[in-house]
Structures are given as structure tokens and as C-alpha cells.
């Protein structure tokens, strides 16, 4: 039920994002998150169990849906919810765009969420912890990058429609620079002090190995920051279909290389199996694709 409500809520959240009202979209998320945290603490203090926590999660999704519907109707009164509005042409349009966005998401899961499976299959299960500590830190950092790329998607659609490609080019390059600049202090901290933080956070026994994994996983995350902005632009102008094969090759390449390197190098090999294909795509493919593959968008 919670997943079902979240899917419906995502439609109205997407409408707010499409209107570039990120402050409202994020305000809803933060409000619901705080209320859910308070309700969770209260439930645990009064001895309630897992079913109660699940009901709190369900109630949070319902509240987020209510907020989304209310604000969407206020900002975009033209939106209507009715079963008789079903149109096959609209469904085909949604799927023609969404299926390729879905495949891109699948590639991300292959890149970032199959490593634990590889480690559990070919290495002692306890090694998953050492990898997951570093992996979680890079996931948090990628969320910051995702903030840039997600805002670029509706902005790119607007700029293409209103001002043409020249303004889109300038905005994309500026955003890519800002994104890389913002990530630089985090990257340097991970590289120089990551193992010390892990030692304080999880204990000295995790500092060395997890610190080395963090060092390796930070490389593709940082070099891919600007590529993430470009990917958001391409999604916003509907040109993402052409990059799906490369994204899937990146995902399957990560999986295969991680399997090959797991036995001889352990979790360090799995980390390099993730990093090498990702770095290659970010450094070799994206600059070429933006420069040569899509000259009508960014003539650099």
C-alpha cells in the first residue's frame, strides 16, 4: 500500500518539479520526514512494534500525497483527475519517454547496488560491511550531485522551448562547473581524511580497508559530477534514448569486472570493478557525446 501511494504521490511531486517549485517539493519532503521521525520515536518509546512503524510509513506517504495534490491544484488548476480522461496516445507518449528513463535507472542499480551480491557470492559475507561503509558515504555524496542534475531536467526543457540552445549551452556548462566545484571539498575530504572519519564512526578496525574502498569509489563519483549534470539536461530535452546502450554497458561492465577482480583482489577489486567502467564513461564518452554526438545542443 505504501509503494502504491508513493507511485501516485510521485506524479504530483513531479508536477511541482516540472514547474520548478523545488522549494515547495522539498518543503513537503522535509515536513513529512520530520513528522515521521517524531512519530517513530514516540511509537518506540511506548513499546509499539514493526507493524506500527509500517503504519507510520504508510501514513507519511498518504500525507505527502495530500500535500502534493493540494499544491498541484493550487499552482496548476488545469490538472484534472478523472478516469474518463484516459487516452492511449498519452500512455504511448509517457512510455516512449519513461521506458528509456527506466533503463537508465536499471543501469544505476547495476553500478551501485550489485556489489554486495558479488561480495556475498565470491568473498566472506563479512566483507560486505567494509564495502558498505564506504559505499554509503559515496551514496550520500551522489545525492548532492543528484540535486544538481534533477534541477537541470525541467530547466533544460524550459530553456530549449523559450530561448533555444545557446542559453541551454551556457547554463549547462556553468552548472557543470558549479557542481564540480561544490563537490571538490567533499572529494578532498574523502581522499585525505576518509579513513580517519570511518575509524571514529565505525571503529578503528574498519578504518584501513573501508578507507581504501572509499578512496577508490570517490574517483568515479567526482569525475562523474559534471556528467551527471549533462545527463539531466539530455533527459530534460528527451534525448536520453541514445545514451541507454552506453549506460547499460557501464552497468554490466561493472558487474562483470567486479566478479573478475573479486577473487584476486577482494573488496578492493570489487571497488575497482565499479570505478573503472564509470570513470571511462564519464571521462571518454560524455565529453565526446556532448561535443560530437549532439552538436545541435552544445557546440563546444
Amino acid at each position: 500500500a505504501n509503494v502504491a501511494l508513493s507511485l501516485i504521490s510521485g506524479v504530483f511531486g513531479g508536477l511541482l518539479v516540472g514547474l520548478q517549485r523545488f522549494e515547495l517539493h522539498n518543503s513537503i519532503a522535509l515536513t513529512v520526514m520530520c513528522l515521521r521521525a517524531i512519530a517513530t520515536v514516540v511509537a518506540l518509546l511506548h513499546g509499539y512494534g514493526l507493524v506500527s512503524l509500517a503504519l507510520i510509513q504508510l501514513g507519511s506517504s498518504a500525507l505527502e500525497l495530500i500535500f502534493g495534490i493540494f499544491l498541484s491544484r493550487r499552482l496548476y488548476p488545469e490538472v484534472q483527475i478523472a478516469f474518463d480522461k484516459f487516452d492511449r496516445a498519452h500512455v504511448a507518449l509517457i512510455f516512449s519517454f519513461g521506458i528509456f528513463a527506466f533503463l537508465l535507472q536499471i543501469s544505476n542499480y547495476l553500478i551501485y547496488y550489485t556489489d554486495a551480491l558479488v561480495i556475498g557470492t565470491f568473498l566472506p559475507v563479512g566483507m560486505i560491511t567494509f564495502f558498505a561503509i564506504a559505499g554509503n558515504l559515496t551514496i550520500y555524496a551522489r545525492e548532492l550531485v543528484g540535486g544538481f542534475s534533477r534541477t537541470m531536467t525541467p530547466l533544460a526543457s524550459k530553456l530549449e522551448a523559450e530561448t533555444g540552445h545557446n542559453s541551454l549551452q551556457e547554463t549547462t556548462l556553468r552548472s557543470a562547473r558549479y557542481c564540480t566545484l561544490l563537490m571538490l571539498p567533499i572529494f578532498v575530504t574523502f581522499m585525505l581524511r576518509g579513513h580517519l572519519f570511518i575509524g571514529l564512526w565505525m571503529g578503528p578496525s574498519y578504518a584501513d580497508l573501508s578507507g581504501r574502498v572509499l578512496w577508490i569509489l570517490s574517483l568515479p563519483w567526482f569525475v562523474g559530477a559534471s556528467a551527471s549534470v549533462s545527463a539531466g539536461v539530455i533527459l530534460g530535452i528527451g534525448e536520453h534514448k541514445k545514451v541507454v546502450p552506453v549506460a547499460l554497458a557501464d552497468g554490466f561492465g561493472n558487474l562483470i569486472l567486479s566478479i573478475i577482480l573479486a577473487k584476486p583482489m577482494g573488496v578492493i577489486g570489487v571497488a575497482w570493478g565499479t570505478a573503472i567502467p564509470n570513470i571511462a564513461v564519464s571521462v571518454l564518452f560524455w565529453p565526446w557525446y556532448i561535443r560530437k554526438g549532439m552538436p545541435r545542443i552544445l557546440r563546444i
Side-chain angles (χ1 to χ4, degrees), residues 63-84:
L63 186 61
E64 191 168 359
L65 174 62
I66 293 171
F67 282 148
I69 292 175
F70 173 76
L71 290 176
S72 297
R73 296 296 297 270
R74 289 288 301 271
L75 296 173
Y76 194 70
E78 294 86 351
V79 66
Q80 297 181 12
I81 304 173
F83 289 104
D84 60 351

Side-chain angles (χ1 to χ4, degrees), residues 51-68:
V51 174
S52 298
L53 299 182
L55 288 172
I56 291 172
Q57 183 69 35
L58 178 61
S60 300
S61 297
L63 186 61
E64 191 168 359
L65 174 62
I66 293 171
F67 282 148

Side-chain angles (χ1 to χ4, degrees), residues 110-120 131 217 254 258 270 273-274:
L110 286 172
I111 294 170
Y112 300 117
Y113 296 100
T114 58
D115 295 317
L117 178 63
V118 172
I119 295 171
F131 192 94
L217 295 180
N254 160 49
S258 294
V270 177
T274 299

Side-chain angles (χ1 to χ4, degrees), residues 86-137:
F86 178 83
D87 189 328
R88 291 181 181 272
H90 290 163
V91 175
L93 178 63
I94 291 171
F95 271 89
S96 65
F97 180 91
I99 187 63
F100 296 105
F102 173 73
L103 291 174
L104 289 176
Q105 190 64 30
I106 290 295
S107 71
N108 286 331
Y109 276 98
L110 286 172
I111 294 170
Y112 300 117
Y113 296 100
T114 58
D115 295 317
L117 178 63
V118 172
I119 295 171
T121 303
F122 297 97
L123 298 172
V125 175
M127 291 292 102
I128 295 177
T129 303
F130 290 89
F131 192 94
I133 291 170
N136 286 336
L137 289 175

Side-chain angles (χ1 to χ4, degrees), residues 140-187:
Y140 301 148
R142 282 198 302 272
E143 282 298 314
L144 294 176
V145 177
F148 267 85
S149 60
R150 283 191 291 269
T151 57
M152 287 303 298
T153 299
L155 179 60
S157 299
K158 178 182 178 181
L159 290 176
E160 185 191 34
E162 295 181 354
T163 64
H165 294 147
N166 289 334
S167 180
L168 181 59
Q169 171 187 342
E170 180 183 352
T171 302
T172 301
L173 292 176
R174 187 186 303 115
S175 298
R177 294 188 189 108
Y178 290 160
C179 183
T180 303
L181 184 63
L182 179 64
M183 297 303 113
L184 181 59
I186 303 174
F187 172 72

